[in-house]
Amino acid sequence: MEPALAELKGRLGEIVDLGRTQTLLHWDLEVCMPPAGADSRALQLATLSSVIHERSTDDRIGELLDELEPYAASLDPDSDDACLLRVARRDWEKARRVPTALMAELAETQARSYEAWVRAREDDDFASFRPWLERMLELRLRYAECFAPYDDPYDVLLDDYDEGLTTEHVRAVFDALAPELVALVAEHASDEDDPWRGPFPIPLQERLARELLEAMGVRWDEFRLDLAVHPFATSLGPGDIRLTSRYTEDDVLSLFTALHEGGHGLVEWGSSPTLDRTPLAGCRSSTLHESQSRLWENVVGRSLPFWRWFYPRLQEAFPTQLGGVSLEAFHRAINRARRSHIRVDADETTYGLHVVLRFELEQELVHGRLAVREVPDAWNTRFEELLGIPVPDDRHGVLQDAHWSGGSFGYFPTYLLGSVVSVQIWERAKAALGDVEEQIERGELGELHAWLRENLYALGSKFPPLETIERVVGGPIDPQPYLAYLREKLGALAAA
Ligand code: ZN
C-alpha cells in the first residue's frame, strides 16, 4: 500500500473510533443515563466533539490527500480506495469550513436541549422549550453560514443527511405526493376502532419482537435490543448493533417498531467488512437508511403474506386478545388510513402528510418567515389543513418529536423520501427474486435479506445516495411507484 494511504487510513480509523465512542455516549444518554447525568454528559460530548473536529480538520489529512491525487486518478472509480479518497476529501473540506468552537457549542447545546425537550413534552409546556429551540435554530443557521455562498441554507442542512440532496429535489417529490396523499386520506380514512382489546403483556411482546428480528437475520451475539423513549438504532462497529424499542400494553404495534429498527440495524450490519473503520463503513444516507427500515416495517411487515405466516403465532401468544380477530381484520387494522396526531403512530398513508407539515415549517423557520414563538400556532393551523383534525395540545403537536431539540432541521424529509425509495427498491428485489412473496408467506426472509445486503447494504457509503439509488433502482427518486403501492393497498382493503 502507498505509505501515504496507510497513514491516511490510520488517521481516519482513529476518527471512526472516536465517532463510535460518541455514538456510545449518545446511546447511553437515551437508554441508561439517569436524568441528573445530563450536565456532565453534555460536557463529555462537547469535549469529544472538539477532539473529533480537530482531528478531522488536521492539515496533515489535506497534505496526504494532495499527495495521493495521482494514485486516486489511477484507480477504478468504483474501487473502495477511490471512493474512500473522494469521501475523505469531501469530509475534510466540509469539516474545515466549521470552527471547532461552533461544533462544541452545538454538541453541548444539543444534549441540554434534548433534556429540556423531554421535560417540556412531559409537561406539555412549549414555553419552557422555546428558548432551546431558538438557540438550536440560531446555531444551525450559523452552521449553514459556514458554507456560504449557497443557493439555499436548507440545502446545507439537507446535505448533512444526504450528500447532494437539495430543497429542489425534496420539493419536486413532495409537491407530487402531498395532494395525492390528501386525496387518498379523504377517500379512505376511517374512524373504525381497532378490532383487538388488550392488555398485551409487554414481556410477551418483547419475545415476539425478538422472534421477528431473528427471522430477519438478527443474531444476539452481534445485536442488542433495549428500551428508549424515542426508538432508534445505531452501530458501534460491525459486531455491535444497538436496537431500541418501546411498548404499550394497549396494542402490539411495538412489533412494527422492532421491524423498523431491525431494518436500520441490518443496513449497518451488512456493510462490507472491507470498509470497516473507514468513513465508508455503514450507511450515512438518512434516506437510504429509512428506505430499509420502512421496507421491513411496511412493505414486508404490513403485507398480507407476512401475516399469513406470523398471525397464527401472534394469536397463539395472545389467545384471549386476538383469538376472535380474523387475519383479514388484523391486516386491515394495521394498514387502514386514519387521521391521528402522532407521526410515529401514523399509518402509511397519513404518515407522509406529517412529514410534509414539518418540511414546510422548517422551510419557513430557516428562511426567517416564521418565528419560533409562532411555531405552535402555525403547526396547529397547517396540521388541520393537511390532516383534517384539530390539535388538542402541544404534546400531540409541536412537542412530539425529539429532532428539533437536536437542531436536526432537514432530517424529516428523509423519512418520506425513504418510504418512496423503499417501494422502488422492493420492486427491484421482487423482480430479481421472483417468488419473494411466497417466501415471506413461509416465514423465509433470508433471500430478501441476502439480495438487499448484496445490492445495497454492502455498498456502505461508497457513493452519494442519489447515485446509489440510481445504481440500485435504475433511475432517480420517483414518487409514482409509492403512490401506486398505496392506492393498490387501500383499494384492496376497501374491496375486501
Ligand atoms: Zn427510522
Side-chain angles (χ1 to χ4, degrees), residues 231-233 260-261 264 286 289-290 293-294 297 351 411 415:
F232 65 99
H260 182 101
E261 301 308 338
H264 281 307
S286 301
H289 238 295
E290 205 60 21
S293 56
R294 280 167 202 275
E297 177 195 352
Y351 188 91
Y411 196 107
Y415 289 137

Side-chain angles (χ1 to χ4, degrees), residues 344-370:
V344 297
D345 296 335
D347 60 85
E348 275 183 279
T349 314
T350 56
Y351 188 91
L353 296 173
H354 290 264
V355 173
V356 169
L357 164 75
R358 287 153 176 79
F359 171 66
E360 288 182 358
L361 294 178
E362 288 186 348
Q363 287 291 309
E364 293 182 12
L365 278 168
V366 165
H367 290 106
R369 296 194 298 264
L370 183 70

Side-chain angles (χ1 to χ4, degrees), residues 211-212 214-216 305-306 308-310 436-447:
E211 272 182 38
L212 287 179
E214 286 161 22
M216 287 168 74
F306 183 89
R308 282 201 190 106
W309 160 55
F310 203 70
V436 64
E437 284 168 314
E438 288 80 358
Q439 293 175 28
I440 291 171
E441 196 166 328
R442 295 192 298 269
E444 295 163 11
L445 308 178
E447 270 197 41

Side-chain angles (χ1 to χ4, degrees), residues 133 136-137 140 154 157 161 362 365-366 404 407-411:
L133 187 52
M136 283 316 306
L137 179 64
R140 289 295 279 163
Y154 198 76
L157 305 180
Y161 306 112
E362 288 186 348
L365 278 168
V366 165
W404 288 350
S408 299
F409 308 103
Y411 196 107

Side-chain angles (χ1 to χ4, degrees), residues 56-88:
S56 306
T57 52
D58 197 306
D59 291 341
R60 183 67 187 143
I61 291 183
E63 289 165 18
L64 291 165
L65 287 168
D66 286 344
E67 204 177 310
L68 285 161
E69 254 170 24
Y71 171 68
S74 76
L75 294 168
D76 168 2
D78 286 0
S79 67
D80 288 357
D81 280 353
C83 294
L84 175 67
L85 291 169
R86 182 191 73 79
V87 171

